[in-house]
Structures are given as C-alpha cells and as structure tokens.
C-alpha cells in the first residue's frame, strides 16, 4: 500500500489564552513551519520566531497566491477557535485539497458561548442558529428573527453588538435579550447582558460573540422560511410573481443545498430571495434591466436576510455571458425564444427550468416548448375575495401559464 503524503499546510486554531494553550501536535507543527500566515494579532504572539511570517492581505484573495507559493514546504495558518466554522479553514478548502491540509481546532466561540449560556447546540438547525456578521452585512440576521429564536453571532468588531441591537429594535424585536461575550476562554473573559432597545454596553472588545434570545414586540413581523411569503413582504411596483404562483415556482425549482438559481427578469427579486431563504449555502443571481427594480431587489434582499443575492444589470440573454452555469432557472419576465435557448443551453444536466407566461405570445412559446421537451404545463387562475359594494365577491386575476421541466427529462 502506497504511503499517504503528509499535509504541508496546517491550520491551527488558537483560543483566547494564546499559544500557551496549544496542544503538543499544534506546537510541533508551528515549530517545524518555514512560513506562518495569519492576522496581525496572531502573528504578534510568535515573538522572535525563525519562520517567515506573512500577514493577510486585503482583500484576502491577494494572499492566496503567496500561500500557494509555499506548496510543498511546511506552512502554518493561524486562526481563531475552530477554523472550519466561519473561519479561514473553510475558505482554504476551496483552494487546496484535503490531502494537502490538516486542521487542528480549538474550541469555537459558539461552543464556549453555548456553554456559558447553557444553550444546547444540538438544536442549532431549529431553535438556535449560529451566524456570522464577520465580513458580512449585519442584515444577514434578519432572516432568522422569530419569537423565541436563539442566535449566536460572530461579531465583526466592537461595533457589531450595537449594530445588531439597532437591527433588532428596527424590526420590532426591541425587548430581545442581548448578551455580549468577550474574550471567551481567556483571562479577560467578560459576559454582559442587556436588551436590544435598551442597549447600554460600552468599552466592548473587538473579539466578541453576540447571543440573542428573540422576544417579539408589538411591531414585530416574523417571516417563515417556507416558500410563499405574503406579497406585502416585498417592495414592488406590481411586477412580481405573486404568492400562490411563487410557492408553485419554488416547489418546481426544487432548491437543494449549495445550488445556484438564475432569476431572469427578476422584478422585485421575490423568486431568488425565496430560493436563498430555503436553505443555507444557496446562491442566486437576479437579472433585471431596470435600475429602479434593481434597487427594490437590493432592499428586499436586505430586509429578508439574504443580502448576498447577486444582482446583475442587463437584458437577457446577453446578461448570461459572464455567469456560472445554473442548477435552476426561473423565467418570469421577457420570455422569448432567444432567452429560453440561452438559458437552457447554460443549465446544468439535471437542472430544473420553470417559466411563467401571461401574454398569448409567451403562452405560445411555452406550449411549443412543452410539446418539444415535455415537463408539466399548467394554466392557473386565482380568484380572491374582494368587496363588491356592501358585499363580497371573487375577483379573478389574470390567468398564468406555468411550465417546468428537468433538463434530464428532455428527449
């Protein structure tokens, strides 16, 4: 049996106690390293190390070339806590193979915070959510605001706790309990508590984690993560896929973790936003030629906790040119033969396509595509109860033709 090559890249997690808390394996890797990468705070712990030290560049991507240049020589990357949980280790896995790396973690801030608060982490997919606003917009938190929800949030710096408190208060969750945990696991550890609306903590350390126990005030509006949000959850100008048809479209697109959606003719962004909210690790591109609508998409994405939504200006199909191939495509506006052909060609094998049509011309396109490619073609008429004088009656909306197909189903 061939001997497995030893990894040349070691990622070491450090607790707040510093290098003195490292286990023997991590110490040995650090002593053998020719080059050590890390932030200024971590590199300062090394003192007069014989190894070459390299501080992370900004943007971080600029450091990758220097790290790759060390390939084959003993190299260490210093990180905080567990490098694989919203840390540099997770980033490096996208650039280096598992055979090249070994990861030696310390307890994460999430673990330590949960221990201090006596919050079970086992229900982190349910009642307790582990999030980060380190290098990400604070609006990411919006997605998970719900009565009794518990949030553990990695902070960007000392300003993060107050920014989170402001966000909570602005969304009607001002009574929420907010706990700021600083320097967890170190000699300077401090745990302080307040409320979002009454936030009064000062002199906060840059190294902190924020815990939130959500309490909904009278003005709070909680939004389900299930597809089919109320239409009033979105700012729009009337050009949007309404609730019933949106829920149908999302179900037909079958969101799967880690997959990407193209939302063509995105309007308010409702389809791509609901796709992103369906699970962690999703990605989506909202393609919209109208500037005012792109601004609405950005506003909706932030308010509903998915500010990572990529918004692309331009007309389809020209706007597809620089995009990565999608796992799913929704065409809700501007359906023409050229748009479909380009989107279908880019769609990965096994990918899902869904499209809606309201005009006779676009209906004719879907009918022809159904005859050629199969899938499911449905015509939907929705009637809503509205006032008719002193009484009520059902008022029909314009019927919509819905078609969806899996690329692998094509003859």
């Amino acid at each position: 049996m061939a001997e497995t090559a030893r990894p040349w890249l070691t990622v070491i997690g450090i607790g707040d106690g510093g290098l003195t808390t490292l286990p023997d394996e991590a110490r040995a890797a650090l002593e053998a390293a020719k080059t050590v990468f890390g932030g200024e705070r971590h590199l300062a712990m090394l003192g007069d190390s014989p190894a070459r030290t390299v501080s992370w560049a900004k943007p971080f991507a600029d450091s990758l070339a220097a790290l790759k240049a060390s390939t084959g020589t003993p190299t260490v990357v210093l990180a905080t806590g567990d490098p694989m949980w919203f840390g540099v280790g997770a980033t490096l896995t996208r650039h280096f193979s598992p055979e090249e790396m070994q990861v030696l973690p310390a307890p994460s801030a999430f673990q330590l915070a949960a221990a201090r608060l006596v919050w079970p982490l086992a229900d982190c997919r349910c009642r307790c959510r582990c999030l980060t606003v380190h290098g990400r917009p604070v609006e990411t938190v919006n997605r998970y605001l719900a009565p009794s929800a518990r949030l553990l949030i990695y902070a960007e710096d000392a300003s993060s706790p107050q920014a989170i408190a402001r966000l909570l208060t602005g969304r009607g969750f001002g009574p929420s309990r907010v706990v700021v945990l600083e320097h967890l696991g170190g000699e300077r550890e401090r745990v302080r508590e307040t409320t979002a609306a009454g936030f009064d903590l000062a002199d906060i350390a840059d190294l902190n984690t924020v815990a939130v126990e959500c309490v909904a005030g009278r003005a709070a509006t909680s939004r389900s993560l299930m597809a089919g949000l109320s239409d009033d959850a979105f700012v729009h100008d009337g050009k949007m896929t309404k609730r019933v048809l949106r829920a149908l479209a999302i179900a037909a697109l079958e969101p799967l973790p880690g997959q990407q959606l193209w939302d063509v003719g995105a309007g308010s962004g409702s389809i791509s936003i609901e796709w992103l909210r369906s699970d962690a690790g999703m990605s989506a591109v909202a393609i919209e030629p109208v500037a005012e609508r792109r601004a609405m998409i950005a506003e909706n994405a932030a308010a509903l906790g998915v500010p990572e939504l990529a918004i692309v200006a331009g007309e389809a199909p020209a706007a597809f040119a620089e995009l990565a191939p999608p796992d799913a495509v929704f065409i809700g506006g501007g359906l023409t033969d050229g748009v479909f052909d380009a989107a279908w060609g880019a769609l990965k094998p096994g990918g899902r396509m869904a499209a809606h049509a309201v005009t006779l011309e676009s209906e004719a396109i879907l009918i022809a595509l159904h005859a050629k490619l199969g899938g499911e073609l449905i015509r939907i008429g929705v009637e809503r109860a509205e006032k008719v004088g002193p009484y009520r009656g059902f008022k029909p909306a314009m019927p919509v033709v819905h078609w969806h197909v899996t690329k692998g189903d094509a003859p």
Side-chain angles (χ1 to χ4, degrees):
M1 181 180 294
E3 184 178 349
T4 303
R6 289 181 58 82
W8 60 270
L9 177 59
T10 301
V11 185
I12 298 176
I14 306 175
D16 198 73
L19 300 182
T20 59
T21 63
L22 292 181
D24 291 344
E25 185 179 12
R27 287 174 180 274
L30 193 54
E31 289 171 1
K34 301 297 184 185
T35 309
V36 179
F37 288 78
E40 293 180 4
R41 181 174 68 87
H42 290 132
L43 295 179
M45 299 177 184
L46 297 176
D48 296 326
S49 170
R52 181 174 69 100
T53 58
V54 181
S55 295
W56 296 127
K58 293 183 179 179
F60 177 80
D62 292 346
S63 297
L64 290 172
L67 190 54
K68 288 178 179 178
S70 297
T71 297
T73 62
T75 303
V76 162
V77 167
L78 298 178
T80 298
D82 184 351
M84 302 304 289
W85 207 340
F86 292 131
V88 68
T91 301
L92 295 179
T93 61
R94 298 195 289 270
H95 303 276
F96 301 96
S97 70
E99 293 75 23
E100 296 178 274
M101 296 175 60
Q102 65 172 338
V103 180
L104 306 176
S108 70
F110 289 148
Q111 291 172 286
L112 295 170
R116 303 296 184 269
L117 297 166
V118 197
W119 286 5
L121 277 180
D123 66 355
C124 66
R125 290 288 295 167
C126 304
R127 192 176 174 210
C128 181
R129 296 276 183 172
C130 295
L131 313 173
T132 182
V133 295
H134 186 81
R136 306 184 189 193
V138 72
E139 288 82 6
T140 302
V141 176
N142 279 332
R143 178 177 171 185
Y144 300 106
L145 297 183
S148 300
R150 288 173 169 176
L151 311 176
L152 290 175
I153 308 165
Y154 278 152
E156 171 75 21
D157 53 31
S159 68
S160 297
Q162 188 165 34
I164 292 167
R166 279 200 203 98
L167 180 143
L168 289 165
T169 304
R171 294 299 302 270
F173 285 84
S176 298
R177 176 191 180 201
V178 176
V179 184
V180 179
L181 306 99
E182 305 162 83
H183 290 292
L184 282 165
E187 294 180 356
R188 294 175 292 170
E189 180 174 312
R190 181 168 59 172
V191 179
R192 292 182 289 170
E193 181 174 331
T194 182
T195 63
F199 191 90
D200 57 358
L201 305 182
D203 188 31
I204 297 171
D206 280 330
L207 193 61
N208 73 83
T209 299
V210 182
V212 176
E213 197 156 21
C214 292
V215 178
R218 292 182 179 180
T221 301
S222 300
R223 303 290 187 187
S224 171
L225 296 178
M226 299 295 291
L229 290 176
S230 172
D231 292 345
D232 64 13
F234 301 91
V235 176
H236 62 91
D237 60 1
K239 188 181 187 300
M240 70 176 297
T241 303
K242 301 298 194 296
R243 183 177 199 168
V244 173
L245 289 160
R246 189 182 337 119
L248 172 62
I250 295 294
L253 291 166
E254 299 180 21
L256 294 171
Q259 293 197 338
Q260 183 180 69
L261 169 76
W262 286 2
D263 183 3
V264 183
S268 67
S270 62
I271 292 288
S272 44
I273 288 169
E274 294 238 40
W275 169 276
L276 289 174
R277 285 170 58 86
S278 68
D279 206 336
M282 312 294 286
S283 63
V285 179
I287 302 163
E288 175 54 54
V290 180
E292 291 79 5
R293 289 177 180 151
R294 293 196 299 273
M296 288 191 294
I297 293 170
E299 182 178 350
N300 288 329
L304 292 167
V306 288
E308 69 273 21
L309 173 61
I311 303 171
V312 172
E315 296 275 359
F320 301 162
E322 303 300 321
L323 303 180
D327 302 283
V329 176
F330 176 73
I331 303 177
L335 178 62
T336 66
D337 290 314
V339 170
F340 171 80
D341 290 342
W344 185 255
L347 185 64
K348 294 178 182 178
R352 287 83 60 204
M353 168 79 74
H356 287 176
V358 294
T359 66
L360 293 176
E361 290 76 11
S362 54
E363 278 190 20
I365 293 172
L366 292 190
I367 290 168
L369 289 172
H370 176 251
K372 177 182 177 182
L373 299 174
E376 187 171 10
L377 188 67
I378 309 169
R379 190 174 189 187
I380 302 160
V382 177
E383 298 183 2
R384 292 182 173 85
E386 296 187 8
K387 292 203 69 153
V388 181
Y391 306 105
R392 290 175 300 149
F394 283 105
K395 182 177 180 180
M398 182 177 261
V400 175
V401 173
H402 164 100
W403 175 63
H404 68 263
V405 66
T406 299
K407 192 169 185 179
D409 291 342

